[in-house]
Amino acid sequence: MCLPGPCWACCLLLTVFSLGVQGAPEAPTAAPEQVHLSYPDEPGAMTVTWTTWVPTRSEVQFGLQLSGPLPLRAHGTSSLFVDGGLQRRKLYMHRVVLRGLLPGVQYVYRCGSAQGWSRPFRFRTLKKGTHWSPRLAVFGDLGAENPKALPRLRRDIQQGMYDAVLHVGDFAYNMDEDNARVGDKFMRLIEPLAASLPYMTCPGNHEQRYNFSNYKARFSMPGNTEGLWYSWDLGPAHIISFSTEVYFFLHYGTHMMERQFRWLESDLQKANQNRAARPWIITMGHRPMYCSNADLDDCRSHESRVRKGLLGRLYGLEDLFYKYGVDLELWAHEHSYERLWPIYNYQVFNGSRVTPYTNPRAPVHIITGSAGCEERLTPFAIFPGPWSALRVREYGYTRLHILNGTHVHIQQVSDDQDGKIVDDFWMVRPLKNRHKYL
Ligand SMILES: *[C@@H]1O[C@H](CO)[C@@H](O)[C@H](O)[C@H]1NC(C)=O
Ligand SMILES: *[C@@H]1O[C@H](CO)[C@@H](O)[C@H](O)[C@H]1NC(C)=O
Ligand SMILES: *[C@@H]1O[C@H](CO)[C@@H](O)[C@H](O)[C@H]1NC(C)=O
């Protein structure tokens, strides 16, 4: 989020000043750091990504035994990432895909090369097929400074509470800053989480520097768009991650927005054909269509760009998601939690007044951007829209439990209140006629 304010000028000055200060050069090292996992949308596979400061080979050693030697080996590739900052720092990004893994089983691994190994990490592979109940931690806007929810997330993850994390844009604040050292700091900070379960992402506005280069280089999402948009299957759900930023950073033209839109439509078509097997379609994108915060963000304008598209009519996403019966839309950007009643075009479509989320007749939106960053929490406007069901201005994150094809359980964890559950509701959609509303 960006608030225009009196300190904008000092912010610029500070940026200019910090550019002038030369950081001490890192001693070049071949030791892996910033280890993290992602799921390549291939059953029985997991991608390991890490960074070194000199070119080395990329190897992962892994096995099922918690102690002793790691009998299995996988090799991958590394690519040189040159940050766009004045120092043109060089990072070597290593990617190895582990394949043929047993489903729902814990593995131990370490990554690196003969020139240096990481410490051992553990992860549990995703289960196979559609008949299981994935659990996700969902949040956006987590910074290297003031990362409030991080210790609690770490405890949850150590207890094996989740199968994957969805980080709905805005990392580190910002990964490119201080010649990408802030990105390094952030990736080290999340390593205890991200090295032990798939850490799935979408880009936010804070990633836009140098054409999103730090985002594209550091994460390894499925598909061939460098993680800008992609989708993957998880148990009874199809999850679509996309970039809202293609609607805002338009100085290179509109082709990214067009490309993404075409891809979204074809992906939704395919997902709808597969709806009997995977009834849930869940989207994640950084900037919401609706919100009731006290700021000047896009979601505050009646015809928000994400919702209605460019000029109020080009590539709007609300019509598209409604048309294909998307169930749940996850957003961030606002540093707070907000749940909406099922909504389309400002109209509330409750399933019924008593049980609004049972058989909802429009998508349900959740805004969860309060994991914690240097910009702190975003205040709410005094009057919420009539479509706003609940607002929580506390640090925290969301738990999403996809129980089966008809039932999803959503909880909001407050970090301010020591882990208290401050929102708790079920979404229920019968299996019939999932592919559209009406
Ligand atoms: C920005 O990145 C995208 C995707 O990586 C690429 O297709 C596009 O050409 C880039 N734009 C510029 C101006 O470099
Ligand atoms: C939707 O349901 C909620 C909760 O019962 C209720 O407060 C709200 O007025 C309903 N909205 C409409 C338009 O029926
Ligand atoms: C999903 O779980 C709920 C709660 O246990 C149950 O009532 C429902 O029948 C289940 N749905 C399917 C498709 O199994």
Side-chain angles (χ1 to χ4, degrees):
M1 200 205 56
C2 299
L3 284 173
C7 220
W8 196 66
C10 8
C11 179
L12 278 184
L13 265 176
L14 271 176
T15 309
V16 170
F17 178 70
S18 66
L19 284 176
V21 179
Q22 298 287 311
E26 287 87 9
T29 154
E33 55 171 82
Q34 309 174 37
V35 181
H36 55 108
L37 299 177
S38 54
Y39 177 62
D41 192 30
E42 191 187 313
M46 192 71 86
T47 304
V48 188
T49 307
W50 71 92
T51 301
T52 59
W53 304 103
V54 295
T56 63
R57 290 167 61 87
S58 315
E59 185 177 329
V60 174
Q61 302 183 335
F62 60 109
L64 292 163
Q65 305 294 335
L66 290 186
S67 55
L70 298 166
L72 305 165
R73 301 268 182 282
H75 297 270
T77 55
S78 77
S79 50
L80 172 62
F81 168 54
V82 182
D83 173 61
L86 288 179
Q87 293 177 357
R88 294 278 184 273
R89 283 172 76 237
K90 288 181 176 166
L91 290 72
Y92 294 87
M93 301 307 200
H94 302 259
R95 295 185 165 87
V96 174
V97 184
L98 314 182
R99 292 197 168 83
L101 305 172
L102 301 169
V105 164
Q106 183 170 272
Y107 281 86
V108 181
Y109 73 99
R110 64 174 192 167
C111 60
S113 69
Q115 288 162 271
W117 292 99
S118 72
R119 73 172 176 87
F121 297 100
R122 291 180 202 178
F123 70 89
R124 186 172 293 279
T125 50
L126 298 176
K127 296 196 179 114
K128 241 177 37 190
T130 59
H131 294 284
W132 62 286
S133 308
R135 290 169 190 265
L136 300 161
V138 187
F139 54 84
D141 304 71
L142 177 66
E145 216 179 283
N146 193 31
K148 279 280 176 169
L150 205 62
R152 188 174 307 280
L153 278 163
R154 184 178 175 168
R155 284 203 293 279
D156 281 6
I157 287 169
Q158 275 166 357
Q159 288 170 31
M161 275 184 74
Y162 310 114
D163 297 291
V165 161
L166 307 183
H167 186 144
V168 192
D170 277 8
F171 308 81
Y173 291 75
N174 301 328
M175 291 192 285
D176 59 271
E177 269 175 30
D178 193 8
N179 289 281
R181 287 190 186 85
V182 176
D184 296 332
K185 182 180 171 198
F186 177 79
M187 296 306 291
R188 287 180 201 124
L189 204 64
I190 64 165
E191 189 184 73
L193 287 61
S196 29
L197 84 182
Y199 198 90
M200 308 303 280
T201 58
C202 70
N205 53 302
H206 280 268
E207 282 69 72
Q208 60 91 13
R209 215 52 197 291
Y210 318 123
N211 195 16
F212 296 87
S213 71
N214 268 270
Y215 174 84
K216 294 187 285 196
R218 289 176 187 274
F219 296 107
S220 313
M221 294 303 122
N224 55 8
T225 65
E226 301 172 284
L228 296 178
W229 57 83
Y230 62 91
S231 64
W232 53 299
D233 291 329
L234 183 69
H238 180 71
I239 301 177
I240 298 176
S241 168
F242 65 96
S243 170
T244 50
E245 303 318 299
V246 298
Y247 291 84
F248 297 91
F249 296 101
L250 293 164
H251 42 283
Y252 298 135
T254 56
H255 68 283
M256 296 296 279
M257 181 176 66
E258 294 160 13
R259 263 178 64 199
Q260 172 173 270
F261 191 90
R262 276 197 294 276
W263 176 84
L264 278 172
E265 181 142 41
S266 78
D267 192 73
L268 283 164
Q269 263 161 11
K270 274 183 266 167
N272 248 348
Q273 280 155 19
N274 197 26
R275 208 98 186 212
R278 293 205 154 86
W280 295 101
I281 298 183
I282 299 170
T283 63
M284 66 188 253
H286 182 62
R287 299 194 211 206
M289 295 185 191
Y290 302 90
C291 69
S292 63
N293 296 79
D295 56 26
L296 300 172
D297 286 344
D298 180 59
C299 49
R300 290 292 284 160
S301 59
H302 190 273
E303 310 280 276
S304 88
R305 265 194 217 181
V306 176
R307 192 173 80 83
K308 293 295 279 182
L310 218 56
L311 307 171
R313 61 193 159 80
L314 296 173
Y315 309 109
L317 293 176
E318 185 172 48
D319 280 348
L320 182 73
F321 290 171
Y322 182 73
K323 177 177 168 191
Y324 289 97
V326 166
D327 300 282
L328 177 62
E329 303 180 15
L330 304 169
W331 311 100
H333 194 55
E334 305 303 322
H335 302 163
S336 52
Y337 173 82
E338 186 164 15
R339 161 162 61 83
L340 273 55
W341 302 119
I343 188 170
Y344 173 66
N345 200 24
Y346 280 94
Q347 225 186 312
V348 170
F349 285 96
N350 288 339
S352 72
R353 185 170 277 270
V354 184
T355 53
Y357 297 104
T358 297
N359 214 352
R361 290 168 297 125
V364 172
H365 295 236
I366 298 287
I367 304 162
T368 176
S370 58
C373 69
E374 62 180 16
E375 292 176 358
R376 304 190 177 267
L377 295 169
T378 316
F380 285 115
I382 298 171
F383 301 108
W387 33 263
S388 180
L390 181 75
R391 311 192 296 175
V392 181
R393 187 169 173 253
E394 286 168 6
Y395 290 108
Y397 54 91
T398 307
R399 290 184 185 142
L400 171 61
H401 185 192
I402 308 165
L403 188 71
N404 58 28
T406 56
H407 286 58
V408 160
H409 188 197
I410 295 171
Q411 291 180 318
Q412 179 64 12
V413 179
S414 165
D415 196 69
D416 292 4
Q417 296 194 59
D418 200 26
K420 188 177 165 196
I421 304 298
V422 288
D423 190 22
D424 191 316
F425 75 104
W426 286 86
M427 252 186 94
V428 182
R429 275 193 88 185
L431 293 175
K432 259 170 73 177
N433 287 328
R434 285 292 276 269
H435 59 290
K436 61 174 175 17
Y437 292 103
L438 300 169

